[in-house]
Amino acid sequence: MKARTRFAPSPTGELHIGGVRTALFSWLLARHTGGEFFIRIEDTDQDRYVPGATRRILEAFDWLGLTLDGGPDHEELRSMKTNEDYPGALDDGEYRGVPGPFVQSHRLHLYKQWAEWLVEHGYAYRANETPEELARMREEAQARKQTFVFREEMRLRTDVRPDEPHVIRMRVLPREGRTEFDDLIRGRLSFDNSQIDDQVLLKADGFPTYHLAVVVDDHLQGVTHVLRGDDWLSSAPKHVLLYRYFGWQEPKWAHLPNVLGTDGKKLSKRHGAQSVFEFRDQGYIPEALINFLALLGWAPGGGDEQNVFTIEELIARFSIEGIGSSPAIFDYNKLDWLNGVHIRRLSDEDLARRLVPFLERAGIPIDTAERFEKLLRITPHIKERIKKLTDAAPFVDFIFGEIETPPPEALIGPKMDRESAIGALQATIKLVRAFEPFEDQPLEQAMRQLCADLGLKPTQLFSLVRNAVSGKSVTPPLFATMAVLGRGTCLVRLERALDRLLRAES
């Protein structure tokens, strides 16, 4: 069947990586089945609302390349608590049959309507206990070493009028027995009704709680599969009961296992980056992050041990049956490895363009066509050496700026003395000044012949030349580096190095 799935974040902060994993699984299921995936912004908790959070969520999906079949449009975003309009937002509110609006604060009339329907049909009731009264009830339960579960018989007042401030709470029916349902990952689940409290569905300010809003919205927007973290497992029986009260068909449930750090504890800030943009800014590319997140709890099955996937391969292979029930381990070493693999899969020009903002952040502006051409020429030679985009700057900084001439000891190759190093530099300068064409492969052949003529090993000559032209002992391949630097720059740096050695000698 075609799946219609959603991701429903709250605009209360950055989009964290655990939520992205949930969204990715939902997106992959929709794409694999030829269905739809949409975003719904759950902004009913207005006290915790963070301006700009919705815009950042949409930007994160754009960066990841997770396309939407529905979501808040420009008008909806502009009319939120703060203006969240975003250039990449969808142009209107309905896509491929998914009905809007896609911002919960724009759907309050629907929650009111269905909460009143529950009251009218005996599945909910009005209550007006104050926060102070409820706090006292909780304290009394704690004193008895009991879990606080609010039930209708605990009401302090039963004559609550519709026109006075109150909340609407669901009745758990039947009071005894169990609520059971099937979970696509965990199998048959069963919950004791006596431990399910009469949940607040509609608050006194007219805003719904998550429990009412998610059920109403998922039904009206045609969601067929609900994928969410197993943190919501304890709430699932309340949602199942609401579906049954309304007489609506339940979606298929799939509660995803937690993501843990390598220490076996739930992933948190102490384990490193948490938001999508932290990973982006640390030099991870979306292709690798998507690949890595897909493997957090999912495997292709059938004995297939493939680890590297394109997004197209993930769409073709994904199934809920491949999701395990055990917690997944977030291993940065594996993410780094995958990032390096996906970097090497990029074309040279694509990689060069992605490197530009990271180089600029490191103080290496690529602000002219000539400088970009140099970057493009050196890119294939650093591609194998970097795991993250932030790794590139030390490999190319000397190409785009001046260097300090190394000290004399760095200009003397292994098992060489100052006199032989001076002779080697003089011979190299002579070769570089006259050699044509000044390209890496011909240059390498000529320099190897020079080694033979001077009676030196390549490691001896090449190490001192590398230090002289780059100021570093580790660089991209020497002759590719020299070709990109150009004859003029190489000569200037070689002559300075020779001068340093000559002056040190005297």
Side-chain angles (χ1 to χ4, degrees):
M1 65 177 292
K2 290 185 177 182
R4 178 175 290 178
T5 62
R6 48 72 174 169
F7 182 58
S10 299
T12 54
E14 292 286 345
L15 180 56
H16 284 191
I17 207 66
V20 177
R21 196 266 311 245
T22 300
L24 174 62
F25 283 3
S26 298
W27 186 86
L28 287 171
L29 178 63
R31 292 291 173 264
H32 177 78
T33 61
E36 299 87 31
F37 171 83
F38 66 93
I39 279 184
R40 183 176 66 232
I41 302 299
E42 299 194 339
D43 63 337
T44 56
D45 190 346
Q46 296 280 291
D47 292 337
R48 296 176 59 225
Y49 181 99
V50 174
T54 297
R55 189 179 309 115
R56 296 273 286 177
I57 290 167
L58 296 174
E59 287 174 353
F61 273 76
D62 271 358
W63 179 74
L64 290 165
L66 301 182
T67 54
L68 306 179
D69 301 307
D73 59 21
H74 297 289
E75 183 179 352
E76 279 191 77
L77 293 170
R78 284 194 295 268
S79 58
M80 290 182 67
K81 187 175 182 180
T82 57
N83 183 355
E84 299 291 319
D85 198 13
Y86 166 62
L90 300 173
D91 290 329
D92 59 64
E94 292 193 16
Y95 300 82
R96 297 185 63 183
V98 184
F102 294 93
V103 175
Q104 283 190 333
S105 59
H106 299 167
R107 300 171 63 88
L108 298 185
H109 64 288
L110 295 170
Y111 312 130
K112 173 70 172 174
Q113 171 190 337
W114 288 106
E116 293 292 346
W117 186 96
L118 290 169
V119 172
E120 180 183 345
H121 288 81
Y123 296 115
Y125 57 88
R126 307 181 198 280
N128 65 357
E129 285 70 30
T130 66
E132 293 75 18
E133 290 168 339
L134 291 170
R136 187 163 58 251
M137 292 179 182
R138 290 189 183 90
E139 291 170 0
E140 291 170 355
Q142 290 174 355
R144 297 191 300 269
K145 297 183 178 181
Q146 296 176 343
T147 301
F148 178 66
V149 178
F150 189 93
R151 285 302 180 89
E152 186 175 4
E153 56 270 20
M154 297 179 181
R155 283 192 297 172
L156 302 178
R157 293 164 291 278
T158 58
D159 56 343
V160 182
R161 300 191 314 273
D163 60 348
E164 65 179 305
H166 67 280
V167 301
I168 293 179
R169 288 182 178 270
M170 70 179 289
R171 282 192 175 96
V172 176
L173 299 172
R175 289 305 203 190
E176 305 303 326
R178 306 185 71 81
T179 295
E180 297 185 343
F181 61 94
D182 292 316
D183 185 279
L184 294 174
I185 296 173
R186 300 177 178 278
R188 189 72 174 172
L189 296 176
S190 179
F191 293 82
D192 186 343
N193 284 2
S194 66
Q195 299 302 309
I196 305 173
D197 64 327
D198 286 3
Q199 177 70 50
V200 173
L201 300 178
L202 196 69
K203 295 179 286 187
D205 61 4
F207 278 80
T209 61
Y210 170 81
H211 307 280
L212 176 64
V214 73
V215 169
V216 169
D217 289 344
D218 282 350
H219 171 71
L220 296 181
Q221 294 183 308
V223 171
T224 62
H225 295 71
V226 171
L227 281 69
R228 59 189 179 188
D230 64 5
D231 292 349
W232 291 107
L233 198 56
S234 62
S235 298
K238 300 175 186 178
H239 304 165
V240 169
L241 286 174
L242 286 173
Y243 271 99
R244 294 173 184 175
Y245 295 166
F246 287 129
W248 295 339
Q249 181 177 348
E250 295 174 41
K252 296 183 183 299
W253 307 98
H255 288 85
L256 307 175
N258 275 326
V259 179
L260 308 179
T262 52
D263 58 1
K265 296 180 180 178
K266 190 174 179 181
L267 197 66
S268 67
K269 289 184 178 180
R270 70 177 178 275
H271 295 106
Q274 279 289 287
S275 80
V276 172
F277 294 113
E278 284 180 286
F279 284 94
R280 180 198 63 185
D281 294 344
Q282 289 180 8
Y284 295 101
I285 64 175
E287 295 90 335
L289 193 57
I290 290 290
N291 187 165
F292 176 75
L293 292 175
L295 297 176
L296 287 180
W298 173 83
D304 189 340
E305 297 183 1
Q306 179 179 352
N307 282 296
V308 181
F309 293 88
T310 64
I311 192 67
E312 293 78 15
E313 289 171 330
L314 287 172
I315 291 171
R317 302 287 297 278
F318 185 79
S319 70
I320 289 183
E321 290 74 19
I323 301 174
S325 58
S326 300
I329 303 299
F330 196 104
D331 184 351
Y332 273 91
N333 291 328
K334 184 170 184 178
L335 175 57
D336 289 349
W337 173 75
L338 277 172
N339 207 59
V341 171
H342 282 279
I343 281 175
R344 292 190 289 276
R345 288 184 164 197
L346 299 176
S347 71
D348 294 341
E349 182 167 0
D350 187 3
L351 177 55
R353 293 194 182 283
R354 297 192 198 203
L355 288 174
V356 168
F358 290 89
L359 296 178
E360 291 180 343
R361 191 194 307 167
I364 308 169
I366 310 297
D367 50 5
T368 66
E370 179 184 4
R371 290 172 77 85
F372 182 77
E373 180 61 27
K374 282 189 174 184
L375 175 60
L376 185 57
R377 289 178 64 193
I378 200 64
T379 293
H381 303 289
I382 67 172
K383 187 183 282 189
E384 296 286 336
R385 298 168 179 242
I386 62 175
K387 291 183 178 179
K388 297 186 287 185
L389 300 181
T390 48
D391 295 340
F395 287 109
V396 303
D397 54 357
F398 64 91
I399 293 174
F400 299 99
E402 290 297 326
I403 66 168
E404 285 190 22
T405 302
E409 59 269 21
L411 297 169
I412 300 173
K415 298 183 180 179
M416 294 176 67
D417 56 25
R418 184 175 290 112
E419 182 178 343
S420 61
I422 289 172
L425 277 172
Q426 289 172 332
T428 300
I429 290 169
K430 182 178 179 181
L431 184 151
V432 167
R433 184 175 287 122
F435 188 78
E436 288 289 353
F438 201 74
E439 298 172 358
D440 57 346
Q441 292 185 358
L443 190 58
E444 180 176 359
Q445 292 175 0
M447 289 288 286
R448 288 188 180 278
Q449 182 59 50
L450 181 61
C451 289
D453 295 343
L454 295 174
L456 296 173
K457 294 179 180 179
T459 53
Q460 293 177 301
L461 179 61
F462 296 173
S463 62
L464 71 88
V465 171
R466 176 179 288 106
N467 280 324
V469 300
S470 71
K472 297 173 180 281
S473 58
V474 178
T475 66
L478 173 60
F479 304 106
T481 296
M482 292 178 70
V484 173
L485 282 169
R487 187 196 314 274
T489 299
C490 287
L491 280 174
V492 167
R493 293 180 180 182
L494 288 166
E495 289 168 350
R496 287 176 180 171
L498 176 61
D499 184 62
R500 173 66 61 90
L501 273 180
L502 290 170
R503 285 188 292 105
E505 183 181 31
S506 60

